[in-house]
Amino acid sequence: MHDRSAVAPRRLRRSGRPPGFLAIPGLVAAAVALLPIAYLAVRAFESGPGRVVEVIVRERTALLVGRSLALTFAVTAASILLGLLFAFLVVRSDLPGRTVIGVLAALPLAIPSYIAAFAWVSSPVDVSGFVGAFLVLTASCYPYVYLPVVAAMRGIDPATEEVARGLGRTPWQAFWSVTARQVRPAAAGGALLVALYTLSDFGAVSLLRYDVFTRVIHTSYRSSFDRTPAAILGLLLVLLTVTITVTESRMRASSEQVRVGGGVARRPSTIRLGRWAWLAGPLTTVILAVALVFPITSLLYWSATGLSSGVDVGRLVESAVTTAWFAVLGTLACVALAIPVGILAARYRSGLVRFLEHATFAGHALPGIVVALALVFFGIRFATPIYQETPLLVLAYAVLFLPAAVAAVRSSVAMSSPRVEEVARSLGKTRGQVLRQVTLPLAAPGIAAGAALVLLTVMKELPATLLLQPTGSTTLATSLWTETGVAAYAAAAPYGLALVVLAVVPTLILMRVQATR
Amino acid sequence: MTLRARSLAIAAVAALTLTACGGSDSTDGSADGGDGSAADGDVVTIYSGRNENLVGPLLEQLEEATGTPVEVRYGDSAELAAQLLEEGERTEADLFFSQDAGALGALANEGRLATLDESLTGAVIDGYADEEGHWVATSARARVIAYNPDLAPEVAEMTSIDEILDPQYRGQIGIAPTNASFQSFVTALRVDRGEDGARDWLTRLQENEPRIYERNGLILDAVDNGEVALGLINHYYWFEKADEVGLDSITAQIHFLNSDDPGALINVAGAGILEGSEQSEGAASIIEYMLSEEGQQYFTDETSEYPVVDGIELKEGLTPLAELQGSSVDLNQLDSLAETLALLEEVGLT
């Protein structure tokens, strides 16, 4: 809506062939990410193509696809709004208490959507169906947009806005015409994750009784023991996912912006809210109350109720330690696989790169149980020594959450100009040195934000953990599942609380790293 | 408080040490403590679709009693069945302990379950083992009507599931149609009355505007606090709630229809040994223990289920299984869930 004065040259991505030291690890990452889809193809077509058609043309399939898409669209739109709003208030405004709000706003991510859903279901307020699913999923998903956008806003060189101010714009106008446009890739990447999470969610929608696509997949596994229809519907979900990621990357391609300078360690200026503060204060309070305070209060209430039955402290601590251990390993694996793909996606334009990028996202909307069964299928055949051992579980986490890390790497690398790298090259640095000394350090805050996202998400993963974890280990999520399985929500609540507490740590560190940069 | 803090610290250190030494191999009490492959000699690996809180203590108890070391992986029965099907002959599992007969039937149909010795299948009350001997029931549960005596005392006199279709219960019935227990009941209804009979019953139920819940426990809560007058659940949820809140604090009561009616379905949890297991003897000794007096006593005392063996002292409030007049539907016929789901979909109960 404002003029399109480019902050940097429009052509930011090279069309040449990507270097092997990025392309090969990128291919590995894509191969790993494609495992579930290969598995689905095997299972879907084993009963012949006739069956595939039969399942797809069922009347109900179309209805459920429609419902899934409607929910996905609504949740994604609302998450973008909330994510941008919070990021702006925290990074740029003079809203009182913004540092605290900055931390609190990221925390709903630590609350598994099924816990938030249970909080609503077990409350006197009757929230169910579309409205309930929309509320719960938006509340637990908007940090996917918020976190990368905060990182992007902090990474933006304030000089560009200052130029805009120098040209006579008000602080607001400068913000909208410069900064808001520069965070678009980060926001789009986050929005994609929200969309795919919403498509894949099962726990919240089933508790809130909103019938969507994933529920049919689960029902197919759970009650007919027939893996073929589930696999066919899973492939349909992959198709939807690819459609969404292609759309997102087209949108992103038209909005690329970079910072021209190097790493300027300067805080951007503050925009005064003025009378808007009267609106912003209560608004953030209400949103945080719904997304954070309400589910946590519910957890506390149930914990208190359950205290009479006694909490197994030893198991709680053991679960927490195991959770942290798995989460750290899963995050490391995920980020390691994501870095080559993310850099390629940000820097190169070729068929191979597009393929790698979409391949890492293609399976992201698949429910965890599908990914878990795929790894069971491949693991027991081709990786017997690590089957049901930690390495295979870590691999499963990497498959499940690779897109979050790829999106973070891509958007943070895209924020810095390739010209800086070219200068370093011209000064005699090798490509590897440029990567280590220029590209990655510049992108570090964004990658850290992505790592935190992955860490928080791995912690609450359940279906793959159940099928693939080493025999005898327990995580907070599996303990939570065990307790709720016997309808003892009160006894489960302490595990839920521990999960939230554990998730606070990376969030605080992350916020601190970003604030002091 | 100090003691609590100290024990917490000790637990933390212990857990950290465990993690540091054994990688993630922090085995719980029931496991053998080795790292699986090394002690594979005689360890029986159990895939348990039954909840750890329900059966964990029993498995520890039997490890001691039988001298057979066990390793247990817990999960959802159907998901574990899917996992076992994917694993095929390569599976490390020796024993599958399932929450319901359906998951066992699915494995048996794919030829993944070995035939059990007659000493096991013959130990239970007639009709509580697979006819082909692929699995045996270890405990049983009954479908009951939970009712609020203040709102619908007459439920105590009901003998047929048709009675809840009376218009006086409009909006007053709680069901959990996505729950496996409700779906088993509908399957029994189909087997008993045919597709048309079942469709007719479900349509009339739908016309009575039932309230939908996600699980049995929530239905019982709703009956208890008067949100609905009655609900269809499994019997043990009532005993669990009674244990949790105390007999004085529970308003809801349960009624077993006690007639040859699909509403009086008695379903089972059971166990089977994987085809090709190298530990089939150890696995058989585990099933044997589950069917022994100690094992059966455990189920009735701790999980409030019905023993499947005669002569066990029952939990207060339970009637001996042999005296219950339940639905005559054969449990082996309850494997047509796909058709059940299609029917539920057709009448709009999902």
Side-chain angles (χ1 to χ4, degrees), chain B residues 43-49 59 62 70-73 80 84 91-98 104 107 112-113 116 120 134 136 138 270-275 277-288 290:
Chain B
V43 178
V44 174
T45 303
I46 302 176
Y47 277 19
S48 173
L59 296 176
L62 72 80
V70 299
E71 269 192 353
V72 197
R73 298 186 63 87
L80 286 176
L84 284 166
T91 187
E92 299 242 319
D94 301 297
L95 185 82
F96 180 42
F97 189 15
S98 172
L104 287 161
L107 286 178
R112 293 299 309 131
L113 292 182
L116 297 176
L120 296 176
H134 289 124
V136 61
T138 51
I273 297 175
L274 274 296
E275 182 69 58
S277 158
E278 285 169 15
Q279 303 299 331
S280 54
E281 270 180 44
S285 74
I286 286 169
I287 297 183
E288 193 184 341
M290 286 178 178

Side-chain angles (χ1 to χ4, degrees), chain B residues 185-251:
Chain B
F185 152 68
V186 175
T187 310
L189 192 71
R190 285 180 38 244
V191 172
D192 193 74
R193 302 187 178 176
E195 300 298 326
D196 291 340
R199 184 181 297 107
D200 179 56
W201 191 88
L202 288 169
T203 311
R204 286 165 65 197
L205 176 70
Q206 182 72 314
E207 283 164 8
N208 234 355
E209 295 164 17
R211 301 270 304 246
I212 309 294
Y213 295 87
E214 179 62 23
R215 44 167 76 183
N216 286 298
L218 298 174
I219 296 179
L220 183 55
D221 290 347
V223 171
D224 200 53
N225 64 31
E227 198 176 309
V228 291
L230 61 94
L232 305 182
I233 64 169
N234 284 346
H235 81 276
Y236 53 83
Y237 289 95
W238 185 86
F239 287 90
E240 263 169 30
K241 191 172 171 77
D243 282 348
E244 199 180 312
V245 301
L247 273 173
D248 303 333
S249 315
I250 188 165
T251 310

Side-chain angles (χ1 to χ4, degrees), chain A residues 4-135:
Chain A
R4 299 186 56 85
S5 58
V7 178
R10 305 292 314 163
R11 285 220 157 261
L12 299 171
R13 290 190 296 170
R14 283 164 245 155
S15 44
R17 214 167 61 108
F21 75 100
L22 287 175
I24 290 164
L27 279 169
V28 172
V32 166
L34 287 175
L35 284 180
I37 297 162
Y39 160 79
L40 289 178
V42 170
R43 283 282 167 258
F45 288 95
E46 68 187 351
S47 318
R51 186 85 195 276
V52 176
V53 174
E54 177 203 328
V55 170
I56 288 179
V57 298
R58 276 182 201 161
E59 197 181 329
R60 200 165 162 74
T61 306
L63 173 74
L64 290 171
V65 168
R67 286 172 145 236
S68 276
L69 287 178
L71 183 66
T72 302
F73 181 78
V75 170
T76 309
S79 295
I80 293 173
L81 276 178
L82 288 189
L84 289 176
L85 175 72
F86 272 113
F88 164 74
L89 290 175
V90 167
V91 180
R92 299 300 304 275
S93 83
D94 60 350
L95 185 71
R98 58 189 175 275
T99 321
V100 178
I101 293 175
V103 175
L104 294 181
L107 287 182
L109 197 62
I111 303 171
S113 51
Y114 49 84
I115 291 188
F118 195 92
W120 288 105
V121 169
S122 64
S123 77
V125 195
D126 183 27
V127 181
S128 60
F130 181 86
V131 175
F134 168 74
L135 255 178

Side-chain angles (χ1 to χ4, degrees), chain A residues 373-511:
Chain A
L373 284 173
L375 280 150
V376 165
F377 179 86
F378 286 107
I380 201 152
R381 282 171 177 75
F382 308 112
T384 321
I386 57 163
Y387 184 65
Q388 291 179 343
E389 298 291 343
T390 309
L392 193 70
L393 179 63
V394 168
L395 189 70
Y397 291 144
V399 174
L400 280 164
F401 307 122
L402 192 57
V406 168
V409 175
R410 183 182 60 202
S411 64
S412 52
V413 170
M415 289 282 300
S416 68
S417 167
R419 307 292 167 261
V420 185
E421 289 162 23
E422 283 157 19
V423 170
R425 285 280 282 155
S426 72
L427 293 173
K429 300 277 185 192
T430 65
R431 277 176 161 163
Q433 281 173 322
V434 172
L435 181 71
R436 279 196 308 278
Q437 295 170 4
V438 180
T439 314
L440 289 179
L442 281 176
I447 297 178
L453 276 182
V454 174
L455 196 67
L456 295 174
T457 326
V458 172
M459 282 180 186
K460 53 189 183 182
E461 205 286 330
L462 180 65
T465 310
L466 273 180
L467 296 197
L468 296 168
Q469 69 181 348
T471 304
S473 54
T474 54
T475 68
L476 290 171
T478 62
S479 296
L480 193 68
W481 171 81
T482 301
E483 299 293 347
T484 48
V486 288
Y489 190 68
Y495 294 99
L497 262 187
L499 203 53
V500 174
V501 170
L502 203 58
V504 170
V505 181
T507 314
L508 286 179
I509 295 171
L510 172 74
M511 288 294 164

Side-chain angles (χ1 to χ4, degrees), chain A residues 39 43 60 206 209 215 222-223 227 315 321 377 381 387-388 390 467 469 471-472 482-484, chain B residues 19 24 26 47 51-53 73 75 78-79 83 86-87 90 103 178 212 214-215 337 341 345 350:
Chain A
Y39 160 79
R43 283 282 167 258
R60 200 165 162 74
S206 77
R209 299 197 302 276
R215 193 154 147 182
R222 291 197 177 188
S223 29
R227 290 158 294 162
R315 177 166 179 151
V321 172
F377 179 86
R381 282 171 177 75
Y387 184 65
Q388 291 179 343
T390 309
L467 296 197
Q469 69 181 348
T471 304
T482 301
E483 299 293 347
T484 48
Chain B
T19 318
S24 54
S26 42
Y47 277 19
N51 194 284
E52 184 173 2
N53 282 352
R73 298 186 63 87
E79 288 179 5
Q83 182 171 21
E86 289 303 353
E87 290 178 347
R90 296 177 176 83
T178 58
I212 309 294
E214 179 62 23
R215 44 167 76 183
L337 272 162
L341 291 175
E345 214 174 278
T350 52

